[in-house]
């Protein structure tokens, strides 16, 4: 049997074995969901679809997926206001990467207050942290977020968001958001086959507006008239600038934000 110790000012103290695979390997997924005033989760279906797709892609068993879906439904009907975060671990194992098929997943629920929606334009920069390309994980909201941690910690004072590029120099997403740019009257968002997260707010928008999935480079930023970031907690936020490039407000974005906010009244 393995042993684990944790550091205390008086020295190393014995602790039960830390066998959760989320802690050992980041083996799991999470969903962060904004609740409406009545405690419901307006984008629950989008979150559920992404979560279930992620569980299948990571090879969770049918029984394990059923446990997670039951927990998800319970969380979405708990009538909590603000923000809820569901953290899913594949379960507990001893040392070693191999995961038996019959593991019982561990699901944790956290509650947070929700920030007010804001119309203040974002100041944006390019992040020096590159996103790795891994098609087996692309699109998933998995627990391995070290690239985002590094990028967020390096964000300069006074800058709200950063564009993250992959190792080929293509724009993928923001640190905390999906990205949209307007070029020649058309809206584009980065293709996410190799990197990035399939955002639920972006999925919601794609059912209401024509959004082209494209390879987007830094050169495209110079041709864009608008740059927009979106996620579940903030909705849609326009960027005022990115480095030396200046962007304008777009009437269509105001409409999206108004429609999105109405879900949470």
């Amino acid at each position: 049997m393995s042993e684990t110790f944790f550091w205390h000012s008086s020295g190393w103290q014995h602790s039960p074995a830390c066998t959760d695979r989320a802690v050992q390997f980041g083996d799991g997924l999470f969903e962060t969901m904004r609740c409406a005033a009545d405690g419901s989760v307006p984008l629950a279906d989008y979150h559920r679809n992404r979560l279930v797709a992620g569980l299948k892609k990571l090879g969770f068993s049918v029984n394990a997926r059923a446990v997670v879906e039951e927990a998800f439904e319970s969380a979405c009907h708990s009538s909590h206001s603000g923000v809820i975060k569901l953290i899913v671990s594949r379960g507990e194992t001893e040392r070693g990467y191999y995961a038996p098929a019959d593991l019982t997943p561990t699901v944790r629920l956290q509650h947070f207050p929700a920030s007010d929606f804001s119309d203040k334009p974002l100041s944006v920069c390019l992040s020096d942290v590159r996103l790795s390309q891994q098609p087996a994980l692309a699109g998933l909201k998995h627990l391995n977020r070290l690239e985002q941690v590094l990028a967020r910690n390096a964000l300069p004072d006074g800058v709200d968001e950063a564009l993250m590029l992959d190792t080929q120099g293509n724009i993928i997403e923001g640190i905390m958001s999906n990205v949209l740019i307007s070029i020649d009257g058309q809206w584009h968002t980065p293709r996410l086959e190799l990197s990035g997260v399939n955002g639920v707010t972006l999925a919601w928008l794609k059912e209401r507006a024509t959004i082209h999935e494209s390879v987007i480079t830094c050169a495209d930023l110079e041709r864009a008239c608008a740059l927009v970031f979106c996620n579940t907690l903030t909705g849609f936020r326009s960027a005022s600038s990115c480095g030396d490039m200046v962007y304008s407000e777009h009437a269509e974005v105001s409409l999206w934000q108004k429609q999105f906010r109405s879900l949470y009244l």
Side-chain angles (χ1 to χ4, degrees):
M1 180 179 293
S2 64
E3 291 185 308
T4 303
F5 299 84
F6 67 94
W7 180 251
H8 190 270
S9 58
S10 60
W12 290 106
Q13 304 292 319
H14 187 269
S15 171
C18 183
T19 55
D20 191 298
R21 292 181 65 86
V23 177
Q24 293 194 79
F25 312 117
D27 188 1
L29 303 162
F30 71 102
E31 292 290 334
T32 306
M33 300 174 277
R34 185 168 185 138
C35 302
D38 63 0
S40 64
V41 180
L43 298 187
D45 288 344
Y46 297 91
H47 285 285
R48 182 190 299 104
N49 291 341
R50 181 173 64 184
L51 179 61
V52 171
L55 294 171
K56 291 179 179 178
K57 202 166 186 180
L58 291 182
F60 277 57
S61 69
V62 173
N63 289 339
R65 297 201 301 267
V67 171
V68 175
E69 289 190 65
E70 182 180 13
F72 178 90
E73 293 299 329
S74 175
C76 289
H77 291 88
S78 57
S79 298
H80 284 286
S81 60
V83 176
I84 58 176
K85 182 175 182 180
L86 202 73
I87 304 172
V88 179
S89 166
R90 191 186 298 269
E92 297 191 3
T93 58
E94 294 294 330
R95 184 187 62 82
Y97 293 131
Y98 176 72
D102 61 349
L103 287 180
T104 300
T106 302
V107 186
R108 296 173 173 86
L109 180 64
Q110 297 177 326
H111 303 116
F112 304 95
S115 300
D116 293 335
F117 288 115
S118 174
D119 292 321
K120 182 181 178 181
L122 299 172
S123 173
V124 178
C125 69
L126 291 177
S127 175
D128 292 330
V129 179
R130 295 296 180 99
L131 293 169
S132 59
Q133 295 181 317
Q134 175 49 269
L137 297 177
L140 304 189
K141 192 80 168 181
H142 56 72
L143 294 176
N144 294 272
R145 298 288 112 195
L146 285 179
E147 292 165 335
Q148 287 74 19
V149 169
L150 292 174
R152 179 61 184 86
N153 287 344
L155 203 62
D157 291 341
V159 177
D160 304 301
E161 248 288 20
L163 289 167
M164 298 192 71
L165 284 59
D166 64 14
T167 52
Q168 293 183 332
N170 297 319
I171 294 170
I172 300 298
E173 59 191 1
I175 300 173
M176 302 158 278
S177 318
N178 286 115
V179 174
L180 297 140
I181 65 171
S182 177
I183 300 177
D184 298 329
Q186 293 187 323
W187 285 101
H188 299 262
T189 193
R191 294 170 61 178
L192 303 178
E193 290 97 341
L194 301 177
S195 303
V197 175
N198 289 325
V200 298
T201 303
L202 181 59
W204 173 87
L205 178 65
K206 286 179 178 178
E207 295 181 354
R208 292 158 176 82
T210 301
I211 309 295
H212 302 277
E213 296 182 3
S214 310
V215 175
I216 299 175
T217 67
C218 290
D220 292 317
L221 292 176
E222 299 177 3
R223 302 192 297 126
C225 66
L227 173 64
V228 178
F229 294 79
C230 65
N231 67 34
T232 305
L233 302 188
T234 63
F236 298 89
R237 299 278 303 273
S238 296
S240 59
S241 63
C242 181
D244 295 332
M245 292 166 286
V246 178
Y247 300 103
S248 60
E249 294 281 350
H250 198 291
E252 200 167 4
V253 179
S254 298
L255 176 62
W256 298 343
Q257 183 69 302
K258 182 178 179 180
Q259 292 173 336
F260 185 81
R261 290 181 184 181
S262 69
L263 299 174
Y264 296 90
L265 297 177

